[in-house]
């Protein structure tokens, strides 16, 4: 018995929503980066599930690229957080509010 | 892979190699740092020469990229923007004591991302070009003043919003793939033509998510909230770059996606939505820009409105609309870079806001740069005989020809509103007295050169638009065969 694609996609959509909620709700910079990782990996899961359904390897190749992108993004994001922490001794992003109109 | 595939992407390869050379040279021969800007500019010129002398084979790399006249048009204006930004960045980096060579390396990497994005014929390449190449380099460039609070804030905000947007786009891509079974835009067009997929929930959800991702990157309402902070906080040459290059490449990608899907039944459902976004961007961008006191924030809201105008050309999709979009991108590039070049010379410290009131009386003291800024403002407002007028005229005419006259009417009304805040800058420059303790602004020669080139382009292309128009028509023909 194989798990139907629908189950994977619903699961991926839930993961994606949890990640998006994390980005929007959490105030710690690290948690926001985690939320973004969750969103990207939810999309990966959907890609792999659809790839199996279509019997193609394209989607799995795509997933490797997404992993590389996610790694690069987190590297830059963490570097920014280190610089922000040095500046204001905190990674609470609510304190990034110098600019107002 | 065969040799002709490599020849087709020679300009991109050249820029990647030169970018890597600059980053390494920064680490190993720091004495050469003052020359990096010239090297980056020369690399961009060489890449442009390679693109114009090289082959245009169409689809290469198994259909992942399309090297066609449209790609050549977009490459040209991306590379012009790179050269201009590299020139104004020199005195700026020297003044703000951040003269690190990786600035130019990242600039070249980011330009390669935009060039790849503009050629993408596969959803995979769209994602890679957008995120890995174009955006990640820009996140670092935004936060380039790593001792400055506003610069770090701009970098962080752009990173979170950019990553969020590309995650939306990626999930959209996954759903589209689920429905069509292919990443290629050309194959997607065939699948959509054969099977009526318009009502397929996967396609609808996938397109909606992808549209949201595009909207974030283009700073269209309601995905625009990041733009003012990022524009204000980033180093001014970076703001100039990020206000024109990513948006231009994204718009052309959007045009390619619409061209792949539009002839089918998808169109009637999506065009009203795009039209609403275009109008909301024009109205909100222009109205909120009135309230701004900082020049860079004002230009951010003006940029939101301008992407709204350019989107009219996509809504009125067809040959005229695409020509309008391409001319709009070229016009927007020269007038925005002119404005930001002058602003980069008119600001003392990066952490301070660039207040419009600080421009008071500068018109008589700095005649050349002030005149360029005034010209850029008139062009952004769309007043003839500037290139901004030509661009607006073309997109609105395309809308009228497609039976969307109301869209053009709203656009013209929004332009009238925008005249107020653009002309206010000119008013401060020329009609206000110079304050007693006026800031001692610098006027370095590279900024004068860029201002002069942009001023010439604004007026020259405004009076003789046929050259630009012909180039845009040649480019547009390839997409709408």
């Amino acid at each position: 018995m194989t798990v139907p694609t629908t189950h994977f996609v619903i699961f991926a959509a839930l993961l994606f929503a949890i990640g998006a909620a994390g980005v929007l709700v959490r105030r710690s910079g690290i948690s926001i980066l985690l939320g973004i990782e969750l969103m990207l990996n939810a999309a990966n899961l959907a890609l792999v599930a659809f790839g199996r359904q279509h019997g193609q390897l394209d989607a799995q190749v795509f997933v490797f690229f997404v992993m590389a992108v996610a790694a690069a993004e987190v590297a830059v994001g963490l570097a920014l957080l280190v610089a922000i922490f040095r500046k204001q001794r905190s990674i609470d992003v609510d304190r990034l509010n110098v600019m107002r109109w | 892979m065969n040799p002709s595939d490599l020849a087709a992407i020679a300009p991109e390869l050249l820029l990647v190699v030169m970018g890597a050379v600059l980053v390494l040279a920064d680490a190993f021969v720091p004495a050469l740092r003052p020359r990096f800007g010239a090297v980056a500019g020369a690399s961009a010129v060489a890449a442009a020469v390679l693109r114009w002398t090289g082959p245009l084979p169409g689809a290469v790399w198994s259909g992942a990229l399309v090297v066609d006249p449209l790609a050549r048009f977009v490459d040209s204006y991306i590379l012009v923007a790179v050269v201009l930004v590299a020139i104004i960045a020199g005195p700026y980096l020297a003044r703000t004591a951040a003269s690190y060579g990786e600035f130019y390396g990242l600039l070249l990497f980011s330009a390669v991302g935009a060039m790849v994005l503009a050629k993408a014929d596969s959803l995979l390449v769209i994602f890679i070009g957008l995120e890995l190449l174009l955006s990640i380099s820009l996140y670092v460039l935004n936060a380039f003043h790593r001792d400055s609070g506003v610069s770090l804030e701009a970098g962080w905000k752009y990173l979170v919003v950019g990553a969020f947007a590309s995650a939306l786009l990626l999930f959209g891509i996954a759903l589209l793939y689920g429905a069509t079974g292919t990443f290629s835009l050309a194959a997607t067009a065939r699948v959509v033509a054969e099977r009526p997929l318009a009502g397929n929930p996967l396609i609808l959800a996938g397109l909606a998510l992808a549209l949201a991702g595009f909207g974030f990157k283009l700073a269209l309402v309601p995905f625009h909230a990041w733009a003012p902070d990022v524009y204000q906080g980033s180093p001014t040459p970076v703001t100039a770059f990020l206000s024109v290059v990513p948006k231009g490449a994204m718009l052309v990608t959007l045009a390619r996606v619409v061209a792949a899907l539009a002839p089918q039944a998808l169109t009637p459902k999506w065009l009203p939505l795009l039209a609403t976004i275009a109008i909301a961007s024009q109205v909100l961008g222009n109205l909120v820009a009135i309230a701004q006191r900082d020049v860079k924030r004002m230009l951010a809201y003006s940029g939101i409105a301008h992407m709204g105008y350019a989107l009219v050309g996509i809504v009125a999709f067809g040959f005229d609309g695409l020509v309008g979009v391409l001319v709009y991108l070229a016009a927007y590039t020269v007038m925005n870079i002119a404005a930001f070049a002058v602003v980069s010379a008119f600001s003392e410290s990066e952490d301070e806001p660039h207040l419009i009131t600080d421009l008071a009386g500068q018109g008589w003291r700095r005649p050349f740069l002030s005149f360029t800024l005034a010209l850029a403002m008139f062009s952004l407002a769309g007043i003839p005989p500037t290139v901004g007028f030509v661009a607006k005229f073309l997109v609105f005419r395309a809308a009228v020809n497609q039976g969307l006259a109301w869209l053009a009417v709203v656009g013209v009304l929004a332009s009238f509103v925008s005249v107020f805040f653009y002309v206010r800058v000119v008013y401060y420059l020329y009609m206000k007295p110079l304050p007693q303790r006026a800031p001692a602004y610098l006027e370095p020669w590279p900024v004068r050169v860029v201002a002069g080139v942009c001023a010439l382009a604004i007026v020259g292309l405004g009076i003789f638009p046929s050259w630009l128009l012909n180039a845009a028509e040649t480019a547009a023909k390839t997409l709408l065969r």
Side-chain angles (χ1 to χ4, degrees):
Chain A
M1 190 193 95
T2 54
V3 183
T5 310
T6 331
H7 292 201
F8 283 107
V9 176
I10 291 171
F11 179 54
L14 283 176
L15 273 183
F16 188 82
I18 293 171
V23 174
L24 298 173
V25 173
R26 300 301 291 268
R27 300 281 45 109
S28 151
I30 304 253
S31 304
I32 290 177
L33 289 181
L34 282 174
I36 289 169
E37 287 292 297
L38 205 52
M39 290 170 79
L40 290 174
N41 282 312
N44 279 349
L45 187 62
L47 277 171
V48 173
F50 283 127
R52 195 192 62 161
Q53 183 196 359
H54 292 304
Q56 294 170 349
L57 288 177
D58 304 24
Q60 299 194 20
V61 176
F62 200 142
V63 165
F64 278 105
F65 282 99
V66 177
M67 285 177 184
V69 168
E73 217 157 50
V74 156
V76 173
L78 288 176
L80 271 175
L81 280 180
V82 169
I84 289 168
F85 183 78
R86 283 191 183 144
K87 183 86 187 162
Q88 63 177 26
R89 293 278 137 203
S90 153
I91 52 166
D92 181 351
V93 295
D94 276 349
R95 292 179 57 183
L96 291 174
N97 58 0
V98 185
M99 288 178 284
R100 286 279 162 83
W101 63 285
Chain B
M1 183 181 86
N2 56 47
S4 69
D5 280 353
L6 276 178
I9 59 161
E12 286 84 354
L13 291 176
L14 173 78
L15 289 180
V16 168
V17 170
M18 289 315 293
V21 165
L22 284 176
V23 171
L24 289 175
D26 180 55
F28 293 107
V29 268
L32 292 179
R33 274 179 192 165
R35 308 252 176 269
F36 284 2
V39 174
S43 313
V45 172
V49 170
L50 277 177
R51 174 59 69 223
W52 279 88
T53 55
L56 293 175
V60 289
W61 295 95
S62 321
L65 295 170
V66 194
V67 184
D68 55 10
L70 177 63
R72 184 174 64 184
F73 183 91
V74 185
D75 283 353
S76 312
Y77 103 85
I78 290 170
L79 292 167
V80 166
V82 170
V83 172
L84 297 178
V85 169
I87 296 174
I88 58 170
Y92 181 88
L93 291 176
R95 186 158 47 92
T96 51
S99 192
Y100 304 113
E102 72 252 27
F103 183 93
Y104 297 105
L106 291 168
L107 192 67
L108 293 187
F109 289 144
S110 199
V112 171
M115 289 164 72
V116 168
L117 185 56
K119 297 180 185 63
D121 201 33
S122 148
L123 297 171
L124 171 62
V125 179
I126 290 180
F127 182 76
I128 294 172
L130 174 65
E131 200 55 29
L132 196 55
L133 297 166
L134 175 61
S135 300
I136 289 182
S137 321
L138 270 179
Y139 304 149
V140 183
L141 285 176
N142 289 327
F144 204 72
H145 291 308
R146 55 178 171 235
D147 300 324
S148 148
V150 286
S151 188
L152 287 175
E153 187 177 331
W156 174 255
K157 283 179 175 166
Y158 197 47
L159 179 124
V160 170
V161 169
F164 189 78
S166 54
L168 290 180
L169 176 65
L170 181 65
F171 206 80
I173 288 174
L175 296 182
L176 286 175
Y177 172 74
T180 62
T182 175
F183 289 120
S184 151
L185 285 182
T188 304
R190 281 197 296 276
V191 172
V192 175
E194 284 164 13
R195 285 185 273 153
L197 288 169
N200 185 324
L202 283 180
I203 293 253
L204 289 180
L207 276 181
L209 283 169
L211 189 63
F214 277 89
F216 269 115
K217 296 285 176 180
L218 288 169
L220 291 163
V221 173
F223 311 110
H224 65 283
W226 58 273
D229 285 355
V230 172
Y231 272 52
Q232 185 191 346
S234 300
T236 311
V238 177
T239 313
F241 185 80
L242 95 101
S243 69
V244 294
V245 169
K247 291 182 176 180
M250 282 308 281
L251 263 183
V252 171
T253 313
L254 187 60
R256 284 194 196 274
V257 173
V258 173
L261 303 176
Q264 279 66 44
L266 292 174
T267 329
K269 276 189 186 145
W270 291 94
L271 288 191
L273 183 63
L274 284 175
T276 314
I277 292 177
I279 287 177
S281 304
Q282 292 166 16
V283 172
L284 186 130
N286 282 331
L287 287 181
V288 183
I290 294 174
Q292 300 306 313
R293 294 182 300 135
D294 183 298
V295 184
K296 283 162 88 177
R297 282 183 94 80
M298 188 200 89
L299 285 170
Y301 282 106
S302 124
I304 294 168
H306 277 281
M307 283 306 113
Y309 299 133
L311 198 61
V312 170
I314 302 265
V315 176
F317 200 75
F319 183 71
D320 288 347
L322 189 56
V323 169
V325 170
L326 293 177
V327 171
Y328 211 103
L329 291 178
Y332 184 64
T333 301
V334 288
M335 50 206 192
N336 240 25
I337 290 187
F340 280 114
V342 177
V343 170
S344 83
F346 270 15
S347 57
E348 284 180 293
S349 150
E350 265 316 294
D351 282 2
E352 300 301 316
H354 306 66
L355 294 180
I356 296 173
T357 45
D358 284 350
L359 298 173
Q362 294 292 333
W364 309 111
R365 204 182 203 196
R366 309 264 171 241
F368 182 61
L369 289 189
S370 301
F371 178 71
T372 307
L373 185 58
L375 206 56
M377 289 300 134
F378 282 126
S379 183
L380 284 165
I383 294 169
T386 58
V387 71
F389 169 75
V390 176
K392 275 196 183 129
F393 174 75
L394 287 173
V395 290
F396 292 152
R397 190 187 62 176
V400 172
N401 288 349
Q402 294 276 326
L404 299 163
W406 56 278
L407 205 52
V409 171
V410 174
V412 171
L413 290 177
S415 302
F416 279 135
V417 174
S418 74
V419 171
F420 173 73
F421 60 86
Y422 290 126
V423 171
R424 187 174 55 184
V425 170
V426 182
Y427 171 74
Y428 268 97
L429 281 174
Y430 290 101
M431 308 292 178
K432 286 272 183 179
L434 196 68
Q436 288 288 309
R437 287 167 37 89
Y441 295 129
L442 298 170
E443 207 171 340
W445 68 265
V447 174
R448 285 166 153 255
V449 170
V450 169
V453 169
C454 290
L456 266 181
I458 289 172
V459 179
L461 293 175
I463 299 175
F464 305 107
S466 57
W467 174 79
L468 180 59
L469 210 54
N470 288 341
E473 279 171 359
T474 316
K477 263 177 209 152
T478 51
L479 191 56
L480 299 164
R481 48 201 170 266

